[in-house]
């Protein structure tokens, strides 16, 4: 069957997520703030969950309609064929949000939608009581200017939870953001990558997984895995294909360092868990002492911002030092993400391009300094 799905993303990531969806072969319907809408069948639902590196979740769209009153909301939710998705024992919860709409009480919307779905299911299964002991169906409503979108979450835990983060540090980056930074850069698996502020290793690990073509969802579960509409064989087949697609032949050269021993240990353990420790050369070092030996490398880093880890004076000095060290890497492409507004001033170089991204709730800029194209290999 053909379904309409939404891949949700954080702000600024939509275009890169769309690119991922297109390369996975999906038909895109639209790209809006924080979401890319596309069509997929049952296999596609599995593939999207297994392969998307930059999306937060994959939601199944049940319906979209306008509603100005609670009666309208009840009736239109009741019109949806819930029995085709939720079985007799299905456990369903309802959550959502409302922005600039007549129906603004989340709690009331929640209880009306729950009642409406319950009635529909009780009528269909001819029962007067729903046990809700079975698989989880997390229903999400989003009301924007009176337009209600009703979806069900196919992912379960957010897709950033790849299952490899066994050790964490003070300010780790979400895996989906780290993957986005790599995909937004000029790095490809035949080039050197360096992260001299690696912390728990999220950027180098995500890059290694991209280089090895490891599906980010291979090591985790998804809500839709226990749904009746998807034959369990599809999950097995797609996981098998994903294992077969792993590129173990290409030599991946990623370097990662950090000044903090504990963080570096966390990074190493996470890399082992992700199965990419053979791609990453870890070392304990101040970024100033690193020997950036190769030409045409790509440097991607997430240094301290001052907000969370250091005081302002210290980051000003840090960014100044980064400017002095990085300027010597004239054949490299350099990428820095920070929330510090005057980063370029202290770094002493204007970026070729900057992009607004969110690291959790923090508004940041991704400063991009493009190096020359590497010469073609003989
Ligand atoms: C914001 S965290 C990086 C988090 C990382 N992206 C992750 O996902 O875990 C910044 C890191 O820079 C490291 N750091 C701070 N000053 C440094 C320096 N002078 N040289 C190298 N690393 C440094 C800190 O130890 C910290 O791990």
């Amino acid at each position: 069957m053909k379904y309409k799905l939404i891949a949700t993303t954080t702000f600024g990531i939509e275009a890169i997520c769309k690119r991922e969806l297109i390369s996975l072969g999906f038909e895109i319907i639209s790209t809006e703030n924080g979401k890319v809408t596309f069509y997929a069948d049952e296999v596609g639902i599995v593939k999207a969950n297994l392969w998307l590196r930059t999306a937060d979740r994959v939601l199944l769209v049940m319906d979209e309609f306008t509603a100005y009153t609670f009666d309208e909301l009840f009736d239109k939710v009741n019109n949806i064929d819930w029995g085709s998705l939720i079985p007799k024992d299905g456990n369903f919860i309802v959550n959502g949000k409302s922005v600039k709409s007549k129906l603004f009480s989340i709690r009331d919307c929640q209880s009306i939608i729950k009642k409406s779905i319950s009635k529909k299911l009780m009528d269909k299964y001819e029962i007067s009581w729903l046990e809700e002991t079975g698989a989880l169906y997390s229903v999400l409503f989003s009301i924007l200017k009176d337009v209600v979108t009703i979806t069900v979450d196919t992912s379960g835990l957010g897709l950033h939870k790849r299952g490899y983060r066994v050790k964490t540090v003070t300010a780790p980056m979400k895996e989906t953001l780290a993957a986005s930074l790599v995909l937004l850069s000029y790095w490809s698996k035949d080039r050197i990558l360096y992260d001299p502020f690696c912390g728990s290793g999220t950027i180098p690990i995500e890059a290694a997984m991209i280089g090895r073509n490891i599906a980010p969802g291979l090591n985790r579960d998804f809500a839709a895995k226990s749904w009746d509409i998807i034959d369990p064989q599809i999950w097995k087949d797609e996981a098998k294909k994903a294992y077969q697609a792993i590129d173990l032949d290409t030599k991946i050269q990623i370097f990662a360092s950090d000044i903090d021993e504990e963080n570096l240990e966390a990074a190493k353990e996470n890399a082992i868990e992700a199965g990419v420790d053979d791609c990453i050369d870890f070392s304990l070092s101040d970024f100033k002492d690193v020997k950036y030996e190769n030409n045409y490398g790509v440097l991607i880093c997430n240094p301290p911002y001052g907000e969370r880890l250091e005081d302002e004076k210290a980051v000003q000095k840090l960014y100044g030092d980064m400017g002095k060290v990085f300027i010597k890497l004239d054949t490299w492409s350099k990428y820095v993400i920070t929330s510090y507004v005057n980063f370029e001033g202290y770094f002493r170089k204007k970026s070729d391009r900057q992009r607004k991204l969110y690291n959790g709730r923090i508004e940041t800029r991704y400063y991009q300094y493009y190096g020359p194209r590497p010469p073609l290999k003989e």
Side-chain angles (χ1 to χ4, degrees):
M1 211 172 120
K2 193 172 177 179
Y3 300 95
K4 198 179 189 185
L5 293 140
I6 294 174
T8 63
T9 70
T10 43
F11 179 86
I13 303 296
E14 304 85 353
I16 191 93
C17 179
K18 178 181 171 188
R19 214 161 80 192
E20 278 199 283
L21 284 161
I22 290 172
S23 71
L24 288 168
F26 293 109
E27 185 189 338
I28 308 292
I29 303 169
S30 63
T31 309
E32 291 152 86
N33 267 351
K35 59 181 192 179
V36 188
T37 310
F38 63 104
Y39 286 121
D41 58 8
E42 290 79 1
V43 176
I45 297 177
V46 175
K47 259 173 115 172
N49 274 298
L50 212 51
W51 281 99
L52 284 176
R53 297 180 195 278
T54 62
D56 291 327
R57 282 167 196 284
V58 177
L59 310 178
L60 173 61
V61 180
M62 300 302 287
D63 203 4
E64 207 165 8
F65 50 80
T66 50
Y68 302 97
T69 66
F70 288 128
D71 285 346
E72 237 182 312
L73 181 66
F74 185 96
D75 292 343
K76 290 184 176 172
V77 169
N78 200 258
N79 275 342
I80 299 170
D81 183 9
W82 289 102
S84 66
L85 176 70
I86 305 180
K88 197 171 173 180
D89 66 348
N91 172 15
F92 64 102
I93 50 169
V94 180
N95 284 298
K97 57 183 182 202
S98 173
V99 179
K100 294 182 188 156
S101 301
K102 289 228 161 45
L103 301 177
F104 60 87
S105 158
I106 302 297
R107 213 185 250 197
D108 289 333
C109 292
Q110 241 172 327
S111 93
I112 278 162
I113 293 172
K114 175 93 189 178
K115 272 191 200 132
S116 174
I117 302 174
S118 302
K119 175 153 187 353
K120 184 82 176 197
L121 292 174
M122 288 191 293
D123 288 349
K124 159 151 181 153
Y125 296 118
E126 297 177 340
I127 47 177
S128 55
W129 170 253
L130 293 167
E131 284 187 4
E132 297 198 46
T133 50
L136 182 67
Y137 295 82
S138 171
V139 178
L140 300 167
F141 64 87
S142 148
I143 315 181
L144 176 64
K145 294 184 187 157
D146 305 309
V147 176
V148 185
T149 308
I150 305 279
T151 59
V152 184
D153 177 18
T154 71
S155 302
L157 283 177
L159 293 179
H160 67 283
K161 301 229 182 241
R162 323 284 208 212
Y164 65 70
R165 202 190 279 283
V166 280
K167 281 259 172 78
T168 190
V169 296
T170 329
M173 168 174 282
K174 248 172 135 179
E175 295 78 347
T176 38
L177 177 61
S180 305
L181 299 186
V182 175
L183 293 173
L184 284 167
S185 80
Y186 280 151
W187 183 71
S188 54
K189 59 185 173 186
D190 53 342
R191 290 182 80 168
I192 301 269
L193 179 77
Y194 209 116
D195 177 1
F197 295 90
C198 75
S200 60
T202 324
I203 298 170
I205 293 171
E206 288 296 321
M209 290 174 73
I210 292 167
R212 282 253 174 277
N213 199 33
I214 299 175
L218 261 184
N219 226 349
R220 53 160 285 162
D221 242 331
F222 304 97
K225 211 166 176 180
S226 13
W227 291 5
D228 294 344
I229 59 159
I230 305 178
D231 183 342
Q233 193 58 40
I234 299 179
W235 291 98
K236 287 188 194 139
D237 291 346
E238 290 307 309
K240 190 172 166 197
K241 279 189 216 158
Y243 277 113
Q244 285 165 347
I246 296 175
D247 171 6
L248 292 170
D249 303 327
T250 308
K251 186 174 180 228
I252 312 275
Q253 283 184 284
I254 298 174
F255 296 87
S257 52
D258 199 283
I259 201 166
D260 184 302
E261 196 165 0
E262 224 175 289
N263 289 359
L264 198 74
E265 281 315 306
K268 285 183 190 168
E269 285 192 38
N270 292 339
I272 292 172
E273 195 63 28
V276 292
D277 49 312
D278 62 324
C279 306
I280 311 170
D281 193 317
F282 288 104
S283 57
L284 184 66
S285 176
D286 187 309
F287 83 96
K288 293 197 286 294
D289 304 327
V290 166
K291 295 206 167 36
Y292 305 90
E293 277 169 347
N294 291 277
N295 283 328
Y296 302 102
V298 175
L299 191 148
I300 304 180
C301 66
N302 171 214
Y305 299 168
E307 301 187 32
R308 292 189 283 186
L309 298 178
E310 312 276 316
D311 63 26
E312 191 168 344
K313 279 261 167 306
V315 295
Q316 290 170 350
K317 160 101 176 58
L318 176 73
Y319 295 163
D321 289 344
M322 281 167 67
K324 285 181 205 150
V325 172
F326 293 178
I327 197 136
K328 294 181 198 142
L329 306 173
D330 54 351
T331 64
W332 288 55
S333 286
K334 290 149 284 205
Y335 300 83
V336 183
I337 183 170
T338 177
S339 64
Y340 194 68
V341 273
N342 194 15
F343 167 77
E344 288 171 314
Y346 289 94
F347 189 74
R348 294 191 160 270
K349 193 166 163 61
K350 230 183 137 26
S351 58
D352 294 306
R353 184 168 175 191
Q354 49 170 284
R355 190 184 265 263
K356 183 160 112 179
L357 296 173
Y358 282 85
N359 184 353
R361 285 163 187 267
I362 305 174
E363 185 181 318
T364 64
R365 291 281 185 286
Y366 190 36
Y367 296 97
Q368 314 182 17
Y369 298 88
Y370 304 139
R373 252 176 220 284
L376 289 174
K377 285 198 182 114
E378 304 269 299

